[in-house]
Amino acid sequence: MELDIDIEGWPSGEWAALAERARSATAQVEPAIGNPRLSTSLLFTSDEEVHALNKEWRGKDKPTNVLSFPMLEREDLLDLAPDGPPEMLGDLALAHGTCAREAGEKGISLEDHATHLLIHGLLHLAGHDHVDSDAQAEAMEALEIAALAKLGIADPYGDRN
């Protein structure tokens, strides 16, 4: 899968390389997103921009850490042959201020938190979710944990009781 990355409102850093590592690790645990026909747009941006997107597209008048806008149904993604014209998997947007604040609250690096959120967003684009049931949430978290482990990043859910 190809990433089309735009970075605005984030401090200088290796964000594009971080996103590529997150994409690769996610494809190892969710092979459907490894299809070479796929592309995803990824926007590293400000809280204000994510707030506007969240309000316009989700009806929520607040920023959030990551937004995902899938463009393929899971069944269509799973049936997508590796040969053929390009297909847009979807769009992701990460809000710098919210991500930085959350990383600080968790006592982890912004890079590790952003990696987790990218993996989380990519899994949403692949049709995974966590809102309908505990089992659904646990399955998605297990994929996130497995992808993060491939990058040497600790389980972000490990401190739950």
Side-chain angles (χ1 to χ4, degrees):
M1 179 179 65
E2 181 179 324
L3 292 177
D4 179 18
I5 302 168
D6 191 12
I7 304 168
E8 53 187 59
W10 278 62
S12 63
E14 298 296 322
W15 304 113
L18 179 144
E20 290 293 344
R21 288 190 301 274
R23 179 207 48 80
S24 177
T26 307
Q28 291 177 55
V29 300
E30 172 48 89
I33 70 163
N35 190 315
R37 292 176 56 191
L38 295 174
S39 66
T40 296
S41 71
L42 170 55
L43 176 62
F44 288 88
T45 192
S46 67
D47 277 19
E48 294 78 19
E49 179 68 20
V50 170
H51 183 159
L53 291 168
N54 205 19
K55 185 176 181 181
E56 178 179 355
W57 295 102
R58 297 180 64 223
K60 297 187 178 193
D61 193 11
K62 63 181 182 176
T64 188
N65 49 23
V66 62
L67 287 175
S68 57
F69 301 99
M71 294 184 190
L72 289 176
E73 295 293 326
R74 177 132 179 99
E75 297 77 30
D76 296 330
L77 174 62
L78 295 175
D79 290 341
L80 191 65
D83 297 320
E87 288 282 345
M88 189 70 174
L89 180 60
D91 301 316
L92 294 176
L94 262 67
H96 175 261
T98 299
C99 291
R101 178 182 47 77
E102 290 174 348
E105 290 169 356
K106 294 173 183 283
I108 61 175
S109 72
L110 176 58
E111 292 79 6
D112 283 359
H113 190 50
T115 301
H116 175 210
L117 294 172
L118 287 170
I119 291 168
H120 182 89
L122 287 167
L123 289 171
H124 273 306
L125 295 182
H128 297 278
D129 214 336
H130 52 82
V131 296
D132 293 330
S133 71
D134 288 343
Q136 186 186 58
E138 290 170 9
M140 186 169 173
E141 288 173 6
L143 291 171
E144 292 171 26
I145 292 164
L148 289 166
K150 293 184 178 304
L151 299 170
I153 298 175
D155 173 356
Y157 305 107
D159 61 351
R160 291 184 184 170
N161 294 346

